[in-house]
């Protein structure tokens, strides 16, 4: 079984994340979209809300499940029997950051492989950060959110 973990904050999940998972479905037997909990980080939406959204968005996908974890991503992968991490690349700064994390996870995770998918041009400007700014400013973030999510 090829199992991948897609870790992130998903604060909130965007159409960029959704597109990534949809494109990865044919590549893996199972994908676990998992929220990493960092106690130092301030989130806009509570964990329960973010998980509920993930569950709703992927409800029709039998090979996609959701979860959450504290501490190391590599340990969560081990616990779930996942051999792969899934991440997205939007631009060169994503690459610089992701390269280091991926090399680190390969060591800490004992050969854990990161699979990267390049975002399509129409989604490469979309981030949870931008969505949060729109929401905080009282704007309409719906063009950037999966249709199941109403904020
Ligand atoms: P983190 O807090 O770990 O950065 P995010 O929820 O912001 O978590 O993102 C998780 C992953 O989703 C990252 O690999 C990021 O590159 C990817 N991602 C985010 N937005 C997009 C997008 N618009 N297109 C493709 N990948 C994306």
């Amino acid at each position: 079984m090829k199992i991948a973990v897609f870790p992130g904050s998903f604060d909130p999940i965007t159409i960029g994340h959704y597109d990534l998972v949809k494109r990865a479905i044919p590549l893996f037997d199972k994908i676990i979209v998992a929220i990493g909990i960092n106690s130092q980080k301030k989130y806009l939406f509570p964990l329960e809300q973010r998980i509920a959204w993930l569950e709703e968005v992927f409800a029709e996908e039998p090979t996609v499940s959701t979860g959450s974890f504290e501490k190391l991503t590599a340990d969560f992968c081990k616990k779930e029997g996942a051999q792969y991490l899934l991440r997205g690349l939007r631009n060169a700064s994503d690459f610089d950051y992701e390269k280091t994390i991926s090399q680190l996870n390969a060591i800490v995770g004992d050969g854990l492989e990161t699979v990267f998918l390049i975002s399509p041009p129409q989604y490469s400007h979309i981030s949870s950060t931008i969505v949060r700014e729109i929401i905080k400013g009282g704007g309409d973030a719906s063009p950037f959110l999966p249709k199941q999510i109403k904020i």
Side-chain angles (χ1 to χ4, degrees), residues 21-80:
V21 174
K22 290 289 273 189
R23 286 163 59 211
I25 286 173
L27 308 178
F28 300 102
D29 297 303
K30 185 179 165 187
I31 299 172
I32 306 166
V33 184
I35 299 182
I37 306 162
N38 179 345
S39 54
Q40 323 282 52
K41 218 165 152 179
K42 280 255 170 278
Y43 299 103
L44 182 61
F45 297 103
L47 176 65
E48 294 69 28
Q49 174 67 83
R50 286 178 281 142
I51 290 182
W53 278 330
L54 292 182
E55 280 172 1
E56 212 176 323
V57 166
F58 297 112
E60 307 292 311
E61 298 297 344
T63 61
V64 179
S65 64
T66 60
S68 65
F69 62 94
E70 288 175 86
K71 302 187 181 156
L72 292 182
T73 310
D75 288 345
F76 178 73
C77 291
K78 196 171 180 186
K79 179 169 87 72
E80 298 292 333

Side-chain angles (χ1 to χ4, degrees), residues 6-10 16-17 41 87-88 90 94 98 119 123 126:
F6 179 30
S9 304
F10 305 106
H17 297 127
K41 218 165 152 179
R87 295 288 285 181
R90 286 164 290 191
D94 270 0
E98 295 290 342
S119 76
Y123 293 150
I126 299 173

Side-chain angles (χ1 to χ4, degrees), residues 5-8 38 41 69 71-74 77 85-89 93-116:
V5 167
F6 179 30
N38 179 345
K41 218 165 152 179
F69 62 94
K71 302 187 181 156
L72 292 182
T73 310
C77 291
L85 277 171
L86 176 64
R87 295 288 285 181
L89 294 177
S93 49
D94 270 0
F95 175 80
D96 279 345
Y97 173 76
E98 295 290 342
K99 172 176 165 248
T100 311
I101 304 283
S102 157
Q103 289 168 337
L104 211 125
N105 277 322
I107 299 166
V108 178
D110 205 11
L112 185 62
E113 246 349 313
T114 308
V115 174
F116 296 102

